[in-house]
Amino acid sequence: MKRLAMTLLTFMALTPTAYSEIVTENIVYKHGDVPLEGFLAYDDSIKGERPGVLLVHEWWGLNDYVRERAKQIARLGYAAFALDMYGKGKVTKHPEQAKEWAQQLYNNMEIWQQRAQAGLKVLQKNPAVDRTRVAAIGYCFGGSTVQMLAYSGAEIKGVVSFHGSLMPPPAQPAIPVKAKVLILHGAADPLVTQEAMMKYIGDMETSGMDWQMVIFGGAKHGFTNPDADKAGMQVVGYNKDADRRSWEYMKVFFQEIFAPAPKDS
Amino acid sequence: MKRLAMTLLTFMALTPTAYSEIVTENIVYKHGDVPLEGFLAYDDSIKGERPGVLLVHEWWGLNDYVRERAKQIARLGYAAFALDMYGKGKVTKHPEQAKEWAQQLYNNMEIWQQRAQAGLKVLQKNPAVDRTRVAAIGYCFGGSTVQMLAYSGAEIKGVVSFHGSLMPPPAQPAIPVKAKVLILHGAADPLVTQEAMMKYIGDMETSGMDWQMVIFGGAKHGFTNPDADKAGMQVVGYNKDADRRSWEYMKVFFQEIFAPAPKDS
């Protein structure tokens, strides 16, 4: 009986508990001369290396929304790092300001990709991270950013774009794309026209990349952000169903890309 | 220690085991004067009512492929019933014959929907089934069929179409559609043109239905069937990644539709 109980205790130790503690930390780093400040979150009760997930903020900058997402990712057992694409403290609630900051990166693809890679390096170097198992997720502007990060040939297993614009894959990638791509898209997102969506699908098929796209009926731009409606923009809106479902699909995606490759039968 | 072990044993009893036994049974039933024979599968180790899943075969008829899928569904803990859309014993490997049988139903929407409902009734009446929690899934022709079943206003929680044609929703449904819709579609499926896909997305948005669509890069028609390539048809082909992923998404969908409604926060 004693031996049985020990076996059962071992079994239970392997199941997740509700008592894990999430540790967070602001990390200052640089891209060239630009000082940046990101946000790290991980479960302190997990010992050793674990998969790492990079998070890229919306066009507002690194705000509480993406910090909360980083903590949610940490609760899944991964090490999460929300990078900073704009510069230490550059956060806003004004669309005009957000647009200006995002535009500066849209207009310079090289800096855009390198800025994302700078954040990726911080995550990869963290001792809690198994650097062979890293993914990137992003919201809106951040969704576009993780697509661009994939196209840069970054050493990551996959990227997940939540209501990001659909970025055309490079016609001839300078270096092969290693990341699998999961696009989570709102059918009622007016920032992406039907024509743009069809062109994207065609281009992705030609690219030979490993890609999937989920289209959520009735979901607008920004469908994962409960505060989306506060911005007072017609095109954005929270959608609870699409929020919950897209998160579940992301978890399935992580299970695949962070697992050993399935054996051929 | 004894009490602890007992508690742990109770805990373990609630976790699924690898030793469950799948019971199968051929069930003869009728739609009007047409004799039909379906295939039931369920886990005998589960007591009492459980959610039920209706399966609709490809245009070949009720063959071993869909029987195997029914057993897989039963292993997930659901009661599975693979219905018969054509008539007892009507199974073929010849595309011309399959096309003829499918066409007879395509040409008569009323009979098509009623034939599916006849199978649904068999499942709903089964004592192992919680009839408030029933879904329908289908492959190719069967994928189209479950969409039509949803449009008929059937009392089901949801439908999943695996590489089915995209059926336009009724402009003004006679009765409200109760089922949530999950479409699992191959980006390289030549049976669905880009124009048809765009029209479908627009129509579904107008319909007000709860719908989602996953597009799998590189996947042809029939992507879930390991024997797809044997048919010698250019348009169909097995795709292991899309097969595995679509199955996982179906499981996520079932978890949602078979669970109690999420509380509003």
Side-chain angles (χ1 to χ4, degrees):
Chain A
M1 180 57 94
K2 199 170 179 181
R3 192 168 147 197
L4 173 65
M6 284 306 289
T7 309
L8 292 171
L9 279 171
T10 308
F11 174 80
M12 287 196 76
L14 295 173
T15 64
T17 75
Y19 310 105
S20 54
E21 199 173 320
I22 303 304
V23 174
T24 66
E25 188 186 337
N26 293 317
I27 295 184
V28 177
Y29 63 106
K30 273 195 172 183
H31 170 223
D33 292 334
V34 182
L36 303 158
E37 185 175 39
F39 178 80
L40 181 76
Y42 60 96
D43 183 337
D44 202 25
S45 71
I46 299 173
K47 299 298 166 206
E49 293 180 356
R50 71 211 73 182
V53 178
L54 189 72
L55 292 95
V56 187
H57 52 73
E58 296 174 293
W59 70 345
W60 312 116
L62 202 171
N63 58 15
D64 283 346
Y65 171 71
V66 73
R67 280 196 190 90
E68 201 47 56
R69 290 291 182 191
K71 286 189 253 179
Q72 279 181 271
I73 293 286
R75 274 180 224 119
L76 295 178
Y78 307 123
F81 182 62
L83 59 64
D84 173 9
M85 288 297 289
Y86 290 161
K88 190 171 181 323
K90 280 176 128 176
V91 188
T92 184
K93 288 182 177 176
H94 300 288
E96 282 309 310
Q97 177 63 79
K99 193 175 180 179
E100 188 196 313
W101 288 337
Q103 202 72 49
Q104 286 169 5
L105 294 167
Y106 287 143
N107 290 343
N108 191 327
M109 195 182 296
E110 214 169 314
I111 291 188
W112 190 10
Q113 289 179 321
Q114 288 173 1
R115 186 74 53 86
Q117 284 165 342
L120 176 61
K121 274 185 201 128
V122 175
L123 177 67
Q124 286 170 329
K125 279 185 197 163
N126 190 287
V129 172
D130 173 0
R131 57 183 300 158
T132 67
R133 293 190 293 162
V134 170
I137 73 171
Y139 297 87
C140 297
F141 159 78
S144 310
T145 301
V146 297
Q147 294 170 57
M148 296 308 291
L149 183 63
Y151 301 164
S152 77
E155 284 289 346
I156 48 179
K157 289 286 185 187
V159 298
V160 183
S161 168
F162 292 85
H163 43 81
S165 292
L166 305 175
M167 305 307 295
Q172 287 183 315
I175 28 178
V177 173
K178 299 178 188 88
K180 296 178 181 180
V181 175
L182 174 61
I183 302 290
L184 302 167
H185 180 67
D189 185 338
L191 301 188
V192 177
T193 64
Q194 284 216 338
E195 291 67 33
M197 200 199 295
M198 285 301 102
K199 180 155 177 18
Y200 175 79
I201 292 174
D203 289 348
M204 289 301 278
E205 281 296 271
T206 309
S207 76
M209 270 181 246
D210 183 322
W211 72 279
Q212 311 167 66
M213 178 173 185
V214 188
I215 301 171
F216 297 97
K220 291 185 183 181
H221 196 73
F223 61 78
T224 62
N225 191 333
D227 291 334
D229 303 83
K230 288 187 192 159
M233 297 162 74
Q234 279 277 335
V235 299
V236 301
Y238 181 58
N239 185 305
K240 189 181 261 190
D241 286 331
D243 178 19
R244 188 184 64 249
R245 291 167 184 172
S246 59
W247 188 258
E248 292 301 317
Y249 293 146
M250 177 200 73
K251 282 159 63 178
V252 167
F253 184 71
F254 284 167
Q255 277 161 24
E256 175 185 321
I257 64 173
F258 292 149
K263 281 177 195 146
D264 276 329
S265 56
Chain B
M1 181 56 93
K2 200 170 178 180
R3 191 168 148 198
L4 173 66
M6 285 306 288
T7 309
L8 292 170
L9 279 171
T10 308
F11 175 80
M12 287 196 77
L14 295 172
T15 65
T17 74
Y19 309 105
S20 55
E21 200 174 318
I22 304 303
V23 175
T24 66
E25 188 186 337
N26 293 317
I27 295 185
V28 177
Y29 64 107
K30 273 196 170 184
H31 171 222
D33 292 335
V34 182
L36 303 157
E37 187 174 37
F39 178 81
L40 181 77
Y42 60 96
D43 183 337
D44 201 26
S45 71
I46 298 174
K47 299 300 167 204
E49 293 180 357
R50 71 212 72 181
V53 178
L54 189 71
L55 292 95
V56 187
H57 52 72
E58 295 173 295
W59 72 343
W60 311 115
L62 202 171
N63 58 16
D64 283 345
Y65 171 70
V66 73
R67 282 196 190 88
E68 202 46 58
R69 289 292 181 189
K71 286 190 255 180
Q72 277 182 272
I73 293 285
R75 275 181 223 117
L76 296 179
Y78 307 123
F81 181 62
L83 59 64
D84 174 8
M85 289 297 290
Y86 291 161
K88 190 172 182 321
K90 280 176 125 176
V91 187
T92 184
K93 288 182 178 175
H94 301 287
E96 283 307 311
Q97 179 64 79
K99 193 176 180 180
E100 189 196 312
W101 287 338
Q103 202 72 50
Q104 286 169 5
L105 294 167
Y106 288 141
N107 290 344
N108 191 326
M109 194 182 295
E110 214 169 313
I111 292 188
W112 190 10
Q113 289 179 321
Q114 288 173 1
R115 187 73 54 86
Q117 282 165 343
L120 176 61
K121 275 186 199 126
V122 175
L123 176 68
Q124 286 170 329
K125 279 186 197 161
N126 191 286
V129 172
D130 172 359
R131 56 183 300 158
T132 68
R133 292 190 294 162
V134 169
I137 73 172
Y139 297 87
C140 297
F141 159 78
S144 310
T145 301
V146 298
Q147 293 170 57
M148 296 307 291
L149 183 63
Y151 301 163
S152 78
E155 285 288 347
I156 46 178
K157 291 285 186 189
V159 299
V160 183
S161 168
F162 292 85
H163 44 81
S165 292
L166 305 176
M167 305 307 297
Q172 288 182 315
I175 28 177
V177 173
K178 299 178 187 86
K180 296 177 181 181
V181 175
L182 175 61
I183 303 289
L184 302 167
H185 180 68
D189 185 339
L191 301 188
V192 177
T193 62
Q194 284 215 338
E195 291 68 33
M197 199 198 295
M198 286 300 103
K199 179 154 177 20
Y200 175 79
I201 292 174
D203 289 347
M204 289 302 277
E205 281 296 272
T206 308
S207 76
M209 269 181 248
D210 183 322
W211 72 280
Q212 311 167 67
M213 179 175 186
V214 188
I215 301 171
F216 298 97
K220 290 186 185 180
H221 195 73
F223 60 78
T224 62
N225 191 333
D227 290 334
D229 304 83
K230 287 186 193 158
M233 297 161 75
Q234 279 276 336
V235 297
V236 301
Y238 182 58
N239 185 305
K240 189 182 260 191
D241 286 331
D243 178 20
R244 188 184 63 247
R245 292 167 184 173
S246 58
W247 187 258
E248 291 301 318
Y249 294 150
M250 177 200 73
K251 282 159 65 177
V252 167
F253 184 71
F254 284 168
Q255 279 162 23
E256 175 186 321
I257 64 173
F258 291 150
K263 281 179 195 144
D264 276 329
S265 54

